[in-house]
Amino acid sequence: MERKIITTSDGSTTIQLVEWDEHYHSRHGAILEAYHVFIDMGLSFCKNQSPCILEIGFGTGLNALITLLEAERRQLKVSYTGIDAFPVPDREVPLLNYIDKLDVPQHHEDFDKMHSCSWEIPHLITENFTLIKRQQDFRHVRDENCYDLIYFDAFGARVQPELWTESIFNIMFSALKTQGILVTYAAKGSVRRAMQAVGFEVERLPGPPGKREMLRAVKPGSARTHPPI
């Protein structure tokens, strides 16, 4: 599949999958979207000072990078798991301009290490941020009661509808601790209903630039464990 590096409206780059007309981040601003969805509506809502975070779609590493920056700023101890079945090729990483656009040259080596470090084992990227990358199909995640927060950043339902089903959200539900949070840029009614069907309490929130709404889901304290769907 042909891949292009493009510049989004806030000046930050993303990757376009040409045949799908799909992008790793919003064309209205990669950094703006990432901060709004995953930090402002996700991490800021999480009360744990040592959160365990799961990212569904590690991709360019942008979400991991801004979480690392927030961990430093807020003095959080973050354990971060990023899952991706098809990692971004090494040749594309130097073309991503997040370090420059975020004006954090001191974290250039940290960002490079996120991409170059080996998969399947934990790495201490900074004193406050530990990363483990897993090359794995999202449908094969079997973690239970592990995470305080999930960044659900899969490609959109238009091109990969199988990643936005009750079956997938049941896996996410099991992976979260009680009162755990899942945030995603998506806002489709079918996605919200799939989340609710497996036990999530779901709310619509204002979306990032270019999107009217997004979703945040919470695993309630009285939730029962759902069998695989």
Side-chain angles (χ1 to χ4, degrees), residues 87-111:
V88 167
D90 291 343
R91 66 180 180 276
E92 294 179 351
V93 175
L95 304 177
L96 303 170
N97 66 355
Y98 306 136
I99 294 295
D100 289 341
K101 286 298 174 182
L102 290 164
D103 193 22
V104 287
Q106 70 274 23
H107 289 290
H108 195 288
E109 289 185 7
D110 298 330
F111 186 62

mmCIF file with all atom_site columns, all heavy atoms in Angstrom, residues 87-111:
data_model
loop_
_atom_site.group_PDB
_atom_site.id
_atom_site.type_symbol
_atom_site.label_atom_id
_atom_site.label_alt_id
_atom_site.label_comp_id
_atom_site.label_asym_id
_atom_site.label_entity_id
_atom_site.label_seq_id
_atom_site.pdbx_PDB_ins_code
_atom_site.Cartn_x
_atom_site.Cartn_y
_atom_site.Cartn_z
_atom_site.occupancy
_atom_site.B_iso_or_equiv
_atom_site.pdbx_formal_charge
_atom_site.auth_seq_id
_atom_site.auth_comp_id
_atom_site.auth_asym_id
_atom_site.auth_atom_id
_atom_site.pdbx_PDB_model_num
ATOM 1   N N   . PRO A 1 87  ? 4.101  -2.152 12.400 1.00 0.00 ? 87  PRO A N   1
ATOM 2   C CA  . PRO A 1 87  ? 4.807  -0.947 12.851 1.00 0.00 ? 87  PRO A CA  1
ATOM 3   C C   . PRO A 1 87  ? 5.190  -0.022 11.693 1.00 0.00 ? 87  PRO A C   1
ATOM 4   O O   . PRO A 1 87  ? 5.391  -0.454 10.556 1.00 0.00 ? 87  PRO A O   1
ATOM 5   C CB  . PRO A 1 87  ? 6.058  -1.511 13.525 1.00 0.00 ? 87  PRO A CB  1
ATOM 6   C CG  . PRO A 1 87  ? 5.711  -2.920 13.877 1.00 0.00 ? 87  PRO A CG  1
ATOM 7   C CD  . PRO A 1 87  ? 4.771  -3.388 12.824 1.00 0.00 ? 87  PRO A CD  1
ATOM 8   N N   . VAL A 1 88  ? 5.314  1.255  12.009 1.00 0.00 ? 88  VAL A N   1
ATOM 9   C CA  . VAL A 1 88  ? 5.791  2.242  11.047 1.00 0.00 ? 88  VAL A CA  1
ATOM 10  C C   . VAL A 1 88  ? 7.222  1.881  10.641 1.00 0.00 ? 88  VAL A C   1
ATOM 11  O O   . VAL A 1 88  ? 8.067  1.602  11.496 1.00 0.00 ? 88  VAL A O   1
ATOM 12  C CB  . VAL A 1 88  ? 5.745  3.657  11.670 1.00 0.00 ? 88  VAL A CB  1
ATOM 13  C CG1 . VAL A 1 88  ? 6.523  4.655  10.831 1.00 0.00 ? 88  VAL A CG1 1
ATOM 14  C CG2 . VAL A 1 88  ? 4.302  4.105  11.842 1.00 0.00 ? 88  VAL A CG2 1
ATOM 15  N N   . PRO A 1 89  ? 7.516  1.847  9.346  1.00 0.00 ? 89  PRO A N   1
ATOM 16  C CA  . PRO A 1 89  ? 8.886  1.526  8.900  1.00 0.00 ? 89  PRO A CA  1
ATOM 17  C C   . PRO A 1 89  ? 9.912  2.513  9.440  1.00 0.00 ? 89  PRO A C   1
ATOM 18  O O   . PRO A 1 89  ? 9.637  3.712  9.577  1.00 0.00 ? 89  PRO A O   1
ATOM 19  C CB  . PRO A 1 89  ? 8.784  1.628  7.366  1.00 0.00 ? 89  PRO A CB  1
ATOM 20  C CG  . PRO A 1 89  ? 7.329  1.438  7.051  1.00 0.00 ? 89  PRO A CG  1
ATOM 21  C CD  . PRO A 1 89  ? 6.589  2.040  8.218  1.00 0.00 ? 89  PRO A CD  1
ATOM 22  N N   . ASP A 1 90  ? 11.098 2.013  9.731  1.00 0.00 ? 90  ASP A N   1
ATOM 23  C CA  . ASP A 1 90  ? 12.157 2.851  10.300 1.00 0.00 ? 90  ASP A CA  1
ATOM 24  C C   . ASP A 1 90  ? 12.455 4.065  9.425  1.00 0.00 ? 90  ASP A C   1
ATOM 25  O O   . ASP A 1 90  ? 12.763 5.145  9.941  1.00 0.00 ? 90  ASP A O   1
ATOM 26  C CB  . ASP A 1 90  ? 13.439 2.031  10.484 1.00 0.00 ? 90  ASP A CB  1
ATOM 27  C CG  . ASP A 1 90  ? 13.318 0.984  11.571 1.00 0.00 ? 90  ASP A CG  1
ATOM 28  O OD1 . ASP A 1 90  ? 12.385 1.090  12.399 1.00 0.00 ? 90  ASP A OD1 1
ATOM 29  O OD2 . ASP A 1 90  ? 14.146 0.056  11.598 1.00 0.00 ? 90  ASP A OD2 1
ATOM 30  N N   . ARG A 1 91  ? 12.358 3.911  8.110  1.00 0.00 ? 91  ARG A N   1
ATOM 31  C CA  . ARG A 1 91  ? 12.725 5.002  7.199  1.00 0.00 ? 91  ARG A CA  1
ATOM 32  C C   . ARG A 1 91  ? 11.770 6.194  7.307  1.00 0.00 ? 91  ARG A C   1
ATOM 33  O O   . ARG A 1 91  ? 12.124 7.311  6.903  1.00 0.00 ? 91  ARG A O   1
ATOM 34  C CB  . ARG A 1 91  ? 12.743 4.498  5.756  1.00 0.00 ? 91  ARG A CB  1
ATOM 35  C CG  . ARG A 1 91  ? 11.380 4.079  5.220  1.00 0.00 ? 91  ARG A CG  1
ATOM 36  C CD  . ARG A 1 91  ? 11.421 3.582  3.784  1.00 0.00 ? 91  ARG A CD  1
ATOM 37  N NE  . ARG A 1 91  ? 10.103 3.201  3.303  1.00 0.00 ? 91  ARG A NE  1
ATOM 38  C CZ  . ARG A 1 91  ? 9.539  2.022  3.512  1.00 0.00 ? 91  ARG A CZ  1
ATOM 39  N NH1 . ARG A 1 91  ? 10.190 1.082  4.207  1.00 0.00 ? 91  ARG A NH1 1
ATOM 40  N NH2 . ARG A 1 91  ? 8.336  1.750  3.036  1.00 0.00 ? 91  ARG A NH2 1
ATOM 41  N N   . GLU A 1 92  ? 10.559 5.968  7.859  1.00 0.00 ? 92  GLU A N   1
ATOM 42  C CA  . GLU A 1 92  ? 9.593  7.050  7.957  1.00 0.00 ? 92  GLU A CA  1
ATOM 43  C C   . GLU A 1 92  ? 9.730  7.876  9.233  1.00 0.00 ? 92  GLU A C   1
ATOM 44  O O   . GLU A 1 92  ? 9.294  9.028  9.287  1.00 0.00 ? 92  GLU A O   1
ATOM 45  C CB  . GLU A 1 92  ? 8.163  6.492  7.860  1.00 0.00 ? 92  GLU A CB  1
ATOM 46  C CG  . GLU A 1 92  ? 7.849  5.905  6.497  1.00 0.00 ? 92  GLU A CG  1
ATOM 47  C CD  . GLU A 1 92  ? 6.455  5.326  6.398  1.00 0.00 ? 92  GLU A CD  1
ATOM 48  O OE1 . GLU A 1 92  ? 5.769  5.224  7.446  1.00 0.00 ? 92  GLU A OE1 1
ATOM 49  O OE2 . GLU A 1 92  ? 6.045  4.971  5.284  1.00 0.00 ? 92  GLU A OE2 1
ATOM 50  N N   . VAL A 1 93  ? 10.335 7.292  10.261 1.00 0.00 ? 93  VAL A N   1
ATOM 51  C CA  . VAL A 1 93  ? 10.411 7.964  11.560 1.00 0.00 ? 93  VAL A CA  1
ATOM 52  C C   . VAL A 1 93  ? 11.134 9.313  11.481 1.00 0.00 ? 93  VAL A C   1
ATOM 53  O O   . VAL A 1 93  ? 10.648 10.312 12.045 1.00 0.00 ? 93  VAL A O   1
ATOM 54  C CB  . VAL A 1 93  ? 11.063 7.048  12.615 1.00 0.00 ? 93  VAL A CB  1
ATOM 55  C CG1 . VAL A 1 93  ? 11.250 7.785  13.935 1.00 0.00 ? 93  VAL A CG1 1
ATOM 56  C CG2 . VAL A 1 93  ? 10.202 5.794  12.825 1.00 0.00 ? 93  VAL A CG2 1
ATOM 57  N N   . PRO A 1 94  ? 12.290 9.421  10.778 1.00 0.00 ? 94  PRO A N   1
ATOM 58  C CA  . PRO A 1 94  ? 12.964 10.731 10.717 1.00 0.00 ? 94  PRO A CA  1
ATOM 59  C C   . PRO A 1 94  ? 12.161 11.807 9.987  1.00 0.00 ? 94  PRO A C   1
ATOM 60  O O   . PRO A 1 94  ? 12.489 13.000 10.103 1.00 0.00 ? 94  PRO A O   1
ATOM 61  C CB  . PRO A 1 94  ? 14.258 10.418 9.946  1.00 0.00 ? 94  PRO A CB  1
ATOM 62  C CG  . PRO A 1 94  ? 14.456 8.947  10.101 1.00 0.00 ? 94  PRO A CG  1
ATOM 63  C CD  . PRO A 1 94  ? 13.081 8.366  10.135 1.00 0.00 ? 94  PRO A CD  1
ATOM 64  N N   . LEU A 1 95  ? 11.130 11.411 9.248  1.00 0.00 ? 95  LEU A N   1
ATOM 65  C CA  . LEU A 1 95  ? 10.320 12.374 8.502  1.00 0.00 ? 95  LEU A CA  1
ATOM 66  C C   . LEU A 1 95  ? 9.192  12.956 9.343  1.00 0.00 ? 95  LEU A C   1
ATOM 67  O O   . LEU A 1 95  ? 8.483  13.857 8.891  1.00 0.00 ? 95  LEU A O   1
ATOM 68  C CB  . LEU A 1 95  ? 9.739  11.701 7.251  1.00 0.00 ? 95  LEU A CB  1
ATOM 69  C CG  . LEU A 1 95  ? 10.769 11.058 6.304  1.00 0.00 ? 95  LEU A CG  1
ATOM 70  C CD1 . LEU A 1 95  ? 10.064 10.369 5.141  1.00 0.00 ? 95  LEU A CD1 1
ATOM 71  C CD2 . LEU A 1 95  ? 11.755 12.098 5.798  1.00 0.00 ? 95  LEU A CD2 1
ATOM 72  N N   . LEU A 1 96  ? 9.024  12.460 10.560 1.00 0.00 ? 96  LEU A N   1
ATOM 73  C CA  . LEU A 1 96  ? 7.978  12.946 11.461 1.00 0.00 ? 96  LEU A CA  1
ATOM 74  C C   . LEU A 1 96  ? 8.537  14.122 12.267 1.00 0.00 ? 96  LEU A C   1
ATOM 75  O O   . LEU A 1 96  ? 9.595  14.002 12.887 1.00 0.00 ? 96  LEU A O   1
ATOM 76  C CB  . LEU A 1 96  ? 7.516  11.824 12.392 1.00 0.00 ? 96  LEU A CB  1
ATOM 77  C CG  . LEU A 1 96  ? 6.992  10.575 11.669 1.00 0.00 ? 96  LEU A CG  1
ATOM 78  C CD1 . LEU A 1 96  ? 6.787  9.422  12.655 1.00 0.00 ? 96  LEU A CD1 1
ATOM 79  C CD2 . LEU A 1 96  ? 5.696  10.871 10.928 1.00 0.00 ? 96  LEU A CD2 1
ATOM 80  N N   . ASN A 1 97  ? 7.843  15.230 12.286 1.00 0.00 ? 97  ASN A N   1
ATOM 81  C CA  . ASN A 1 97  ? 8.417  16.472 12.819 1.00 0.00 ? 97  ASN A CA  1
ATOM 82  C C   . ASN A 1 97  ? 7.902  16.849 14.207 1.00 0.00 ? 97  ASN A C   1
ATOM 83  O O   . ASN A 1 97  ? 7.899  18.023 14.582 1.00 0.00 ? 97  ASN A O   1
ATOM 84  C CB  . ASN A 1 97  ? 8.164  17.626 11.852 1.00 0.00 ? 97  ASN A CB  1
ATOM 85  C CG  . ASN A 1 97  ? 6.670  17.984 11.722 1.00 0.00 ? 97  ASN A CG  1
ATOM 86  O OD1 . ASN A 1 97  ? 5.802  17.316 12.286 1.00 0.00 ? 97  ASN A OD1 1
ATOM 87  N ND2 . ASN A 1 97  ? 6.374  19.043 10.984 1.00 0.00 ? 97  ASN A ND2 1
ATOM 88  N N   . TYR A 1 98  ? 7.490  15.864 14.989 1.00 0.00 ? 98  TYR A N   1
ATOM 89  C CA  . TYR A 1 98  ? 6.848  16.163 16.277 1.00 0.00 ? 98  TYR A CA  1
ATOM 90  C C   . TYR A 1 98  ? 7.789  16.847 17.267 1.00 0.00 ? 98  TYR A C   1
ATOM 91  O O   . TYR A 1 98  ? 7.357  17.735 18.014 1.00 0.00 ? 98  TYR A O   1
ATOM 92  C CB  . TYR A 1 98  ? 6.270  14.883 16.886 1.00 0.00 ? 98  TYR A CB  1
ATOM 93  C CG  . TYR A 1 98  ? 5.349  14.148 15.953 1.00 0.00 ? 98  TYR A CG  1
ATOM 94  C CD1 . TYR A 1 98  ? 5.426  12.774 15.811 1.00 0.00 ? 98  TYR A CD1 1
ATOM 95  C CD2 . TYR A 1 98  ? 4.410  14.836 15.184 1.00 0.00 ? 98  TYR A CD2 1
ATOM 96  C CE1 . TYR A 1 98  ? 4.585  12.092 14.947 1.00 0.00 ? 98  TYR A CE1 1
ATOM 97  C CE2 . TYR A 1 98  ? 3.577  14.163 14.308 1.00 0.00 ? 98  TYR A CE2 1
ATOM 98  C CZ  . TYR A 1 98  ? 3.678  12.788 14.198 1.00 0.00 ? 98  TYR A CZ  1
ATOM 99  O OH  . TYR A 1 98  ? 2.857  12.121 13.328 1.00 0.00 ? 98  TYR A OH  1
ATOM 100 N N   . ILE A 1 99  ? 9.032  16.446 17.290 1.00 0.00 ? 99  ILE A N   1
ATOM 101 C CA  . ILE A 1 99  ? 9.981  17.067 18.220 1.00 0.00 ? 99  ILE A CA  1
ATOM 102 C C   . ILE A 1 99  ? 10.119 18.558 17.930 1.00 0.00 ? 99  ILE A C   1
ATOM 103 O O   . ILE A 1 99  ? 10.101 19.398 18.843 1.00 0.00 ? 99  ILE A O   1
ATOM 104 C CB  . ILE A 1 99  ? 11.354 16.372 18.142 1.00 0.00 ? 99  ILE A CB  1
ATOM 105 C CG1 . ILE A 1 99  ? 11.247 14.923 18.647 1.00 0.00 ? 99  ILE A CG1 1
ATOM 106 C CG2 . ILE A 1 99  ? 12.400 17.149 18.942 1.00 0.00 ? 99  ILE A CG2 1
ATOM 107 C CD1 . ILE A 1 99  ? 10.887 14.781 20.107 1.00 0.00 ? 99  ILE A CD1 1
ATOM 108 N N   . ASP A 1 100 ? 10.224 18.912 16.657 1.00 0.00 ? 100 ASP A N   1
ATOM 109 C CA  . ASP A 1 100 ? 10.345 20.327 16.286 1.00 0.00 ? 100 ASP A CA  1
ATOM 110 C C   . ASP A 1 100 ? 9.063  21.099 16.594 1.00 0.00 ? 100 ASP A C   1
ATOM 111 O O   . ASP A 1 100 ? 9.111  22.197 17.152 1.00 0.00 ? 100 ASP A O   1
ATOM 112 C CB  . ASP A 1 100 ? 10.666 20.459 14.796 1.00 0.00 ? 100 ASP A CB  1
ATOM 113 C CG  . ASP A 1 100 ? 12.082 20.006 14.466 1.00 0.00 ? 100 ASP A CG  1
ATOM 114 O OD1 . ASP A 1 100 ? 12.917 19.942 15.394 1.00 0.00 ? 100 ASP A OD1 1
ATOM 115 O OD2 . ASP A 1 100 ? 12.351 19.697 13.295 1.00 0.00 ? 100 ASP A OD2 1
ATOM 116 N N   . LYS A 1 101 ? 7.913  20.529 16.222 1.00 0.00 ? 101 LYS A N   1
ATOM 117 C CA  . LYS A 1 101 ? 6.656  21.251 16.403 1.00 0.00 ? 101 LYS A CA  1
ATOM 118 C C   . LYS A 1 101 ? 6.289  21.393 17.873 1.00 0.00 ? 101 LYS A C   1
ATOM 119 O O   . LYS A 1 101 ? 5.650  22.372 18.277 1.00 0.00 ? 101 LYS A O   1
ATOM 120 C CB  . LYS A 1 101 ? 5.525  20.556 15.637 1.00 0.00 ? 101 LYS A CB  1
ATOM 121 C CG  . LYS A 1 101 ? 5.600  20.752 14.134 1.00 0.00 ? 101 LYS A CG  1
ATOM 122 C CD  . LYS A 1 101 ? 5.470  22.226 13.785 1.00 0.00 ? 101 LYS A CD  1
ATOM 123 C CE  . LYS A 1 101 ? 5.675  22.487 12.317 1.00 0.00 ? 101 LYS A CE  1
ATOM 124 N NZ  . LYS A 1 101 ? 5.592  23.936 12.000 1.00 0.00 ? 101 LYS A NZ  1
ATOM 125 N N   . LEU A 1 102 ? 6.661  20.442 18.685 1.00 0.00 ? 102 LEU A N   1
ATOM 126 C CA  . LEU A 1 102 ? 6.405  20.527 20.120 1.00 0.00 ? 102 LEU A CA  1
ATOM 127 C C   . LEU A 1 102 ? 7.498  21.319 20.840 1.00 0.00 ? 102 LEU A C   1
ATOM 128 O O   . LEU A 1 102 ? 7.356  21.609 22.029 1.00 0.00 ? 102 LEU A O   1
ATOM 129 C CB  . LEU A 1 102 ? 6.309  19.124 20.721 1.00 0.00 ? 102 LEU A CB  1
ATOM 130 C CG  . LEU A 1 102 ? 5.063  18.318 20.316 1.00 0.00 ? 102 LEU A CG  1
ATOM 131 C CD1 . LEU A 1 102 ? 5.260  16.836 20.632 1.00 0.00 ? 102 LEU A CD1 1
ATOM 132 C CD2 . LEU A 1 102 ? 3.824  18.841 21.021 1.00 0.00 ? 102 LEU A CD2 1
ATOM 133 N N   . ASP A 1 103 ? 8.576  21.622 20.123 1.00 0.00 ? 103 ASP A N   1
ATOM 134 C CA  . ASP A 1 103 ? 9.701  22.388 20.658 1.00 0.00 ? 103 ASP A CA  1
ATOM 135 C C   . ASP A 1 103 ? 10.296 21.718 21.894 1.00 0.00 ? 103 ASP A C   1
ATOM 136 O O   . ASP A 1 103 ? 10.468 22.335 22.952 1.00 0.00 ? 103 ASP A O   1
ATOM 137 C CB  . ASP A 1 103 ? 9.273  23.828 20.978 1.00 0.00 ? 103 ASP A CB  1
ATOM 138 C CG  . ASP A 1 103 ? 10.468 24.745 21.237 1.00 0.00 ? 103 ASP A CG  1
ATOM 139 O OD1 . ASP A 1 103 ? 11.576 24.412 20.774 1.00 0.00 ? 103 ASP A OD1 1
ATOM 140 O OD2 . ASP A 1 103 ? 10.288 25.778 21.918 1.00 0.00 ? 103 ASP A OD2 1
ATOM 141 N N   . VAL A 1 104 ? 10.606 20.419 21.724 1.00 0.00 ? 104 VAL A N   1
ATOM 142 C CA  . VAL A 1 104 ? 11.205 19.665 22.833 1.00 0.00 ? 104 VAL A CA  1
ATOM 143 C C   . VAL A 1 104 ? 12.470 18.949 22.345 1.00 0.00 ? 104 VAL A C   1
ATOM 144 O O   . VAL A 1 104 ? 12.548 17.718 22.357 1.00 0.00 ? 104 VAL A O   1
ATOM 145 C CB  . VAL A 1 104 ? 10.202 18.663 23.442 1.00 0.00 ? 104 VAL A CB  1
ATOM 146 C CG1 . VAL A 1 104 ? 9.140  19.374 24.255 1.00 0.00 ? 104 VAL A CG1 1
ATOM 147 C CG2 . VAL A 1 104 ? 9.544  17.802 22.355 1.00 0.00 ? 104 VAL A CG2 1
ATOM 148 N N   . PRO A 1 105 ? 13.475 19.710 21.896 1.00 0.00 ? 105 PRO A N   1
ATOM 149 C CA  . PRO A 1 105 ? 14.688 19.063 21.370 1.00 0.00 ? 105 PRO A CA  1
ATOM 150 C C   . PRO A 1 105 ? 15.371 18.153 22.383 1.00 0.00 ? 105 PRO A C   1
ATOM 151 O O   . PRO A 1 105 ? 16.051 17.200 21.997 1.00 0.00 ? 105 PRO A O   1
ATOM 152 C CB  . PRO A 1 105 ? 15.578 20.259 20.988 1.00 0.00 ? 105 PRO A CB  1
ATOM 153 C CG  . PRO A 1 105 ? 15.068 21.409 21.801 1.00 0.00 ? 105 PRO A CG  1
ATOM 154 C CD  . PRO A 1 105 ? 13.582 21.183 21.907 1.00 0.00 ? 105 PRO A CD  1
ATOM 155 N N   . GLN A 1 106 ? 15.162 18.406 23.663 1.00 0.00 ? 106 GLN A N   1
ATOM 156 C CA  . GLN A 1 106 ? 15.776 17.577 24.699 1.00 0.00 ? 106 GLN A CA  1
ATOM 157 C C   . GLN A 1 106 ? 15.214 16.158 24.710 1.00 0.00 ? 106 GLN A C   1
ATOM 158 O O   . GLN A 1 106 ? 15.795 15.262 25.337 1.00 0.00 ? 106 GLN A O   1
ATOM 159 C CB  . GLN A 1 106 ? 15.602 18.232 26.080 1.00 0.00 ? 106 GLN A CB  1
ATOM 160 C CG  . GLN A 1 106 ? 14.186 18.242 26.633 1.00 0.00 ? 106 GLN A CG  1
ATOM 161 C CD  . GLN A 1 106 ? 13.344 19.417 26.163 1.00 0.00 ? 106 GLN A CD  1
ATOM 162 O OE1 . GLN A 1 106 ? 13.623 20.020 25.119 1.00 0.00 ? 106 GLN A OE1 1
ATOM 163 N NE2 . GLN A 1 106 ? 12.327 19.762 26.935 1.00 0.00 ? 106 GLN A NE2 1
ATOM 164 N N   . HIS A 1 107 ? 14.081 15.950 24.016 1.00 0.00 ? 107 HIS A N   1
ATOM 165 C CA  . HIS A 1 107 ? 13.482 14.609 23.986 1.00 0.00 ? 107 HIS A CA  1
ATOM 166 C C   . HIS A 1 107 ? 13.659 13.917 22.636 1.00 0.00 ? 107 HIS A C   1
ATOM 167 O O   . HIS A 1 107 ? 12.993 12.906 22.367 1.00 0.00 ? 107 HIS A O   1
ATOM 168 C CB  . HIS A 1 107 ? 11.995 14.707 24.339 1.00 0.00 ? 107 HIS A CB  1
ATOM 169 C CG  . HIS A 1 107 ? 11.747 15.027 25.775 1.00 0.00 ? 107 HIS A CG  1
ATOM 170 N ND1 . HIS A 1 107 ? 11.991 14.125 26.793 1.00 0.00 ? 107 HIS A ND1 1
ATOM 171 C CD2 . HIS A 1 107 ? 11.291 16.167 26.371 1.00 0.00 ? 107 HIS A CD2 1
ATOM 172 C CE1 . HIS A 1 107 ? 11.688 14.689 27.951 1.00 0.00 ? 107 HIS A CE1 1
ATOM 173 N NE2 . HIS A 1 107 ? 11.267 15.927 27.725 1.00 0.00 ? 107 HIS A NE2 1
ATOM 174 N N   . HIS A 1 108 ? 14.557 14.446 21.805 1.00 0.00 ? 108 HIS A N   1
ATOM 175 C CA  . HIS A 1 108 ? 14.790 13.830 20.499 1.00 0.00 ? 108 HIS A CA  1
ATOM 176 C C   . HIS A 1 108 ? 15.270 12.386 20.654 1.00 0.00 ? 108 HIS A C   1
ATOM 177 O O   . HIS A 1 108 ? 14.769 11.471 19.981 1.00 0.00 ? 108 HIS A O   1
ATOM 178 C CB  . HIS A 1 108 ? 15.823 14.650 19.716 1.00 0.00 ? 108 HIS A CB  1
ATOM 179 C CG  . HIS A 1 108 ? 15.874 14.316 18.263 1.00 0.00 ? 108 HIS A CG  1
ATOM 180 N ND1 . HIS A 1 108 ? 16.416 13.132 17.774 1.00 0.00 ? 108 HIS A ND1 1
ATOM 181 C CD2 . HIS A 1 108 ? 15.426 14.995 17.165 1.00 0.00 ? 108 HIS A CD2 1
ATOM 182 C CE1 . HIS A 1 108 ? 16.320 13.111 16.465 1.00 0.00 ? 108 HIS A CE1 1
ATOM 183 N NE2 . HIS A 1 108 ? 15.711 14.220 16.077 1.00 0.00 ? 108 HIS A NE2 1
ATOM 184 N N   . GLU A 1 109 ? 16.221 12.151 21.541 1.00 0.00 ? 109 GLU A N   1
ATOM 185 C CA  . GLU A 1 109 ? 16.734 10.796 21.753 1.00 0.00 ? 109 GLU A CA  1
ATOM 186 C C   . GLU A 1 109 ? 15.656 9.884  22.334 1.00 0.00 ? 109 GLU A C   1
ATOM 187 O O   . GLU A 1 109 ? 15.607 8.688  22.008 1.00 0.00 ? 109 GLU A O   1
ATOM 188 C CB  . GLU A 1 109 ? 17.958 10.829 22.664 1.00 0.00 ? 109 GLU A CB  1
ATOM 189 C CG  . GLU A 1 109 ? 19.188 11.432 22.009 1.00 0.00 ? 109 GLU A CG  1
ATOM 190 C CD  . GLU A 1 109 ? 20.427 11.331 22.893 1.00 0.00 ? 109 GLU A CD  1
ATOM 191 O OE1 . GLU A 1 109 ? 20.349 10.667 23.955 1.00 0.00 ? 109 GLU A OE1 1
ATOM 192 O OE2 . GLU A 1 109 ? 21.456 11.912 22.521 1.00 0.00 ? 109 GLU A OE2 1
ATOM 193 N N   . ASP A 1 110 ? 14.806 10.424 23.193 1.00 0.00 ? 110 ASP A N   1
ATOM 194 C CA  . ASP A 1 110 ? 13.730 9.618  23.776 1.00 0.00 ? 110 ASP A CA  1
ATOM 195 C C   . ASP A 1 110 ? 12.777 9.146  22.677 1.00 0.00 ? 110 ASP A C   1
ATOM 196 O O   . ASP A 1 110 ? 12.355 7.976  22.668 1.00 0.00 ? 110 ASP A O   1
ATOM 197 C CB  . ASP A 1 110 ? 12.954 10.427 24.813 1.00 0.00 ? 110 ASP A CB  1
ATOM 198 C CG  . ASP A 1 110 ? 13.810 10.856 25.991 1.00 0.00 ? 110 ASP A CG  1
ATOM 199 O OD1 . ASP A 1 110 ? 14.759 10.122 26.323 1.00 0.00 ? 110 ASP A OD1 1
ATOM 200 O OD2 . ASP A 1 110 ? 13.524 11.913 26.569 1.00 0.00 ? 110 ASP A OD2 1
ATOM 201 N N   . PHE A 1 111 ? 12.423 10.037 21.764 1.00 0.00 ? 111 PHE A N   1
ATOM 202 C CA  . PHE A 1 111 ? 11.519 9.672  20.672 1.00 0.00 ? 111 PHE A CA  1
ATOM 203 C C   . PHE A 1 111 ? 12.161 8.634  19.762 1.00 0.00 ? 111 PHE A C   1
ATOM 204 O O   . PHE A 1 111 ? 11.517 7.654  19.364 1.00 0.00 ? 111 PHE A O   1
ATOM 205 C CB  . PHE A 1 111 ? 11.126 10.914 19.871 1.00 0.00 ? 111 PHE A CB  1
ATOM 206 C CG  . PHE A 1 111 ? 10.088 10.657 18.809 1.00 0.00 ? 111 PHE A CG  1
ATOM 207 C CD1 . PHE A 1 111 ? 8.819  10.207 19.150 1.00 0.00 ? 111 PHE A CD1 1
ATOM 208 C CD2 . PHE A 1 111 ? 10.382 10.875 17.478 1.00 0.00 ? 111 PHE A CD2 1
ATOM 209 C CE1 . PHE A 1 111 ? 7.850  9.967  18.180 1.00 0.00 ? 111 PHE A CE1 1
ATOM 210 C CE2 . PHE A 1 111 ? 9.427  10.647 16.492 1.00 0.00 ? 111 PHE A CE2 1
ATOM 211 C CZ  . PHE A 1 111 ? 8.162  10.192 16.843 1.00 0.00 ? 111 PHE A CZ  1
#
